[in-house]
């Protein structure tokens, strides 16, 4: 079944389902799943919001770039990136050169409904979360599309339907 040989990197805004879809996809493909945010938390010994609080977004982005540089060198993984990983050119380059990039697309209103609590999402804590997501979308959507090998709409299908569609697209493109 598995003619998919590349690493698979999931990108998209917060709430798009990268971690949820990534875990199911990795299991179905018999691969190791990595979440870039969890890799960073394990290395630092603290949660992402604490890193943001202590080092700001710039400090976090440096840590994120180092984690992406390292994990993209691994083989047979499914990686869920953080939503802002595409902001740095070196991350976009590493992702696009070292695997198949899947953009899990959802519109800002859907994402707002999924992330309303703001829990664990430092960028949504300082202001109108809906407006923040709309602004992030305007900036990041073109960057996601720039490196995406596939764009998958995450709106209606269940996680399993989404993963099955994704596997079919990946197999067709190999």
């Amino acid at each position: 079944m598995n003619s998919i040989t590349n690493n698979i990197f999931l990108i998209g805004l917060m709430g798009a389902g990268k971690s949820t879809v990534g875990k199911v996809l990795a299991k179905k493909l018999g691969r190791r799943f990595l979440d870039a945010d969890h890799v960073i938390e394990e290395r630092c010994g603290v949660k992402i919001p604490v890193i943001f609080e202590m080092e700001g977004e710039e400090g976090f982005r440096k840590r994120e770039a180092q984690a992406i540089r390292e994990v993209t060198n691994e083989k047979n993984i499914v990686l869920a990136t953080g939503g802002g990983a595409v902001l740095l050119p070196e991350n976009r380059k590493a992702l696009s050169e070292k695997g198949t990039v899947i953009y899990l697309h959802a519109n800002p209103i859907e994402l707002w409904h999924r992330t309303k609590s703001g829990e664990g999402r430092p960028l949504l804590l300082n202001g109108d979360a809906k407006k923040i997501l709309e602004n992030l979308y305007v900036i990041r959507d073109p960057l996601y599309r720039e490196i995406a090998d596939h764009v998958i709409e995450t709106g209606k299908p269940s996680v399993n339907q989404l993963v099955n569609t994704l596997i079919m697209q990946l197999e067709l493109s190999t």
Side-chain angles (χ1 to χ4, degrees):
M1 170 207 175
N2 192 349
S3 61
I4 303 161
T5 57
N6 281 345
N7 285 331
I8 300 167
F9 306 133
L10 302 174
I11 61 173
L13 277 173
M14 62 185 88
K18 299 178 297 288
S19 296
T20 304
V21 169
K23 287 174 190 168
V24 175
L25 180 62
K27 186 172 184 170
K28 284 193 174 194
L29 295 176
R31 295 187 180 195
R32 189 160 78 106
F33 171 73
L34 294 169
D35 182 306
D37 285 350
H38 294 159
V39 169
I40 296 163
E41 288 176 343
E42 285 175 17
R43 290 178 179 183
C44 296
V46 297
K47 297 283 186 194
I48 299 298
V50 174
I51 298 170
F52 265 78
E53 189 179 312
M54 295 174 69
E55 300 180 1
E57 185 175 359
E58 186 179 336
F60 171 76
R61 295 290 170 218
K62 285 180 184 171
R63 291 181 182 278
E64 181 179 56
Q66 180 182 1
I68 287 173
R69 191 168 44 253
E70 291 171 17
V71 299
T72 55
N73 286 320
E74 295 192 28
K75 300 285 182 236
N76 294 314
I77 63 166
V78 173
L79 172 69
T81 67
V86 295
L87 294 172
L88 296 179
E90 62 261 35
N91 291 345
R92 293 194 304 275
K93 185 176 192 289
L95 293 168
S96 62
E97 288 179 355
K98 296 181 180 177
T100 301
V101 180
I102 310 299
Y103 173 19
L104 297 182
H105 177 268
N107 71 55
I109 299 301
E110 279 181 65
L111 297 169
W112 176 72
H113 285 291
R114 296 179 194 173
T115 61
K116 270 195 250 188
S117 74
E119 190 174 318
R121 303 178 192 278
L123 291 179
L124 296 183
L125 298 177
N126 299 319
D128 177 348
K130 192 185 297 185
K131 189 74 180 149
I132 292 167
L133 281 164
E134 288 169 353
N135 291 337
L136 291 174
Y137 181 86
V138 167
I139 294 165
R140 296 177 183 179
D141 180 68
L143 299 174
Y144 296 139
R145 290 180 187 279
E146 173 188 314
I147 64 168
D149 295 299
H150 303 279
V151 178
I152 304 290
E153 295 297 328
T154 65
K156 299 290 181 238
S158 71
V159 171
N160 281 325
Q161 288 172 319
L162 202 60
V163 168
N164 289 337
T165 300
L166 186 49
I167 290 172
M168 281 192 314
Q169 284 195 11
L170 289 168
E171 287 179 336
L172 287 172
S173 66
T174 55

